[in-house]
Amino acid sequence: MTADPLPETVGQLTETLRAGGYLADRGLTTALFVAISLDRPILLEGEVGVGKTEVAKVLASVLNRRLIRLQCYEGIDTNQALYEWDYARQMLHIRALSEHKVADADAVDKLFGPKFLLERPLLAAVRAGNQAVLLIDEVDRADDEFEAFLLEVLSDFQISIPEIGTIKAPSPPLVILTSNRTRELHDALKRRCLYHWIGYPPAEREVEIVLVREPDVSPALTRQVVAAVHRLRELDLAKPPGVAETIDWVRTLHFLGETDLDPVVAADTLGAVVKEHDDLELVRDNLADITSGA
Ligand SMILES: Nc1ncnc2c1ncn2[C@@H]1O[C@H](COP(=O)(O)OP(=O)(O)OP(=O)(O)O)[C@@H](O)[C@H]1O
Ligand SMILES: [Mg+2]
């Protein structure tokens, strides 16, 4: 697979993303365009469910690059991110060697050769270079040491494996990091990256997004749902709904054959959009308001 040529203008990238089912505003497209063109990693922060992860997936697909995803979590360490030795296969190999009594030095060296190396996302990305989009998802969940380690990888895109040598990316992959800001990231990491904040889209754009993802649903119903979701976001909810929830809600109503969002229908389908017990109570008390007019 060879990656497609890069878009030449911001406008072209907007169109390419749209063709892949992603609607980006000018700010986001510009940031992505600069990141791609100048080989800079980009950090996307924003509300929950506003398309941070999705934009990396769509970019990989429309640029015809391989998507390599490193999902971060508490306690993630370099083994899971970089590479591991395949112990099970090494053991089998050792057993075979000893049965045939051929355990010379060379055979032992081979135990730590490419054949027994398990590639993890960062090594895969270094090898793939600009044929890949590397998504480092939810980096705020990883701990400090892991962040420091990422910084090293991002600064020179080379990985040293003592038994094999240094592997360097022929040209860096496009790197997209996402964070939900459950904690502040370090300045050093931010300095390496371009930065873009993705907020909730304005209502007209959100309607468009839903219709791009769900072309069969009614635009009128979508407008009603988007208006209701925007009211929900004004309430003081523990988990305000993201674009993902808007899409889910419209999809649910469409599936049930509803054409209109009234308080009764809304109450029956709230599970698609409000997912906290306390939030549910607050919302139930205000349903007439929330669904009134669009
Ligand atoms: N601008 C957009 N264009 C098209 N689809 C979008 C857009 N924004 C959000 N979506 C839709 O919303 C869904 C959720 O987006 P995504 O999972 O990328 O959110 P996120 O910001 O990564 O959320 P989280 O913080 O929960 O990880 C996507 O599957 C996609 O369908
Ligand atoms: Mg995400």
Side-chain angles (χ1 to χ4, degrees), residues 142-289:
D143 33 45
D144 285 3
E145 295 101 78
F146 189 76
E147 204 182 307
F149 156 76
L150 271 182
L151 194 62
E152 237 178 87
V153 176
L154 292 184
S155 56
D156 41 39
F157 275 100
Q158 65 177 36
I159 290 174
S160 291
I161 304 175
E163 297 86 350
I164 291 182
T166 300
I167 301 172
K168 187 164 172 52
S171 48
L174 169 62
V175 184
I176 298 183
L177 301 101
T178 80
S179 160
N180 282 335
R181 287 200 71 196
T182 56
R183 68 173 177 84
E184 272 293 327
L185 301 176
H186 289 278
D187 285 350
L189 185 72
K190 285 192 168 167
R191 234 179 294 127
R192 282 264 169 279
C193 304
L194 299 172
Y195 178 87
H196 188 79
W197 171 267
I198 307 187
Y200 297 122
E204 322 81 74
R205 175 169 290 272
E206 191 158 355
V207 169
E208 249 193 298
I209 294 174
V210 174
L211 294 175
V212 161
R213 310 299 303 201
E214 300 290 319
D216 295 338
V217 302
S218 127
L221 177 67
T222 303
R223 276 192 287 276
Q224 284 186 323
V225 171
V226 168
V229 168
H230 279 242
R231 293 208 182 94
L232 288 175
R233 288 183 191 141
E234 285 161 15
L235 298 178
D236 198 15
L237 300 183
K239 290 222 162 55
V243 179
E245 279 73 26
T246 311
I247 296 173
D248 267 354
W249 204 5
V250 176
R251 196 185 281 147
T252 304
L253 295 166
H254 177 74
F255 170 73
L256 294 174
E258 303 291 352
T259 51
D260 199 40
L261 186 68
D262 60 36
V264 177
V265 170
D268 290 344
T269 52
L270 266 188
V273 71
V274 179
K275 297 170 184 178
E276 279 280 318
H277 183 247
D278 292 347
D279 288 352
L280 269 178
E281 307 220 314
L282 179 63
V283 170
R284 282 224 165 85
D285 293 342
N286 292 284
L287 268 185
D289 255 4

Side-chain angles (χ1 to χ4, degrees), residues 52-53 69 137-138 178:
K52 301 182 295 299
T53 304
R69 180 173 184 168
D137 212 12
E138 306 186 345
T178 80

Side-chain angles (χ1 to χ4, degrees), residues 49-92:
V50 290
K52 301 182 295 299
T53 304
E54 183 74 9
V55 74
K57 295 187 189 167
V58 171
L59 254 185
S61 137
V62 296
L63 297 177
N64 201 17
R65 295 186 183 202
R66 175 174 161 208
L67 177 75
I68 299 176
R69 180 173 184 168
L70 176 65
Q71 175 65 52
C72 298
Y73 50 88
E74 216 184 310
I76 185 173
D77 66 21
T78 52
N79 284 342
Q80 288 124 14
L82 214 50
Y83 67 89
E84 278 177 290
W85 291 108
D86 189 343
Y87 291 121
R89 287 193 64 217
Q90 282 174 324
M91 292 311 291
L92 287 172

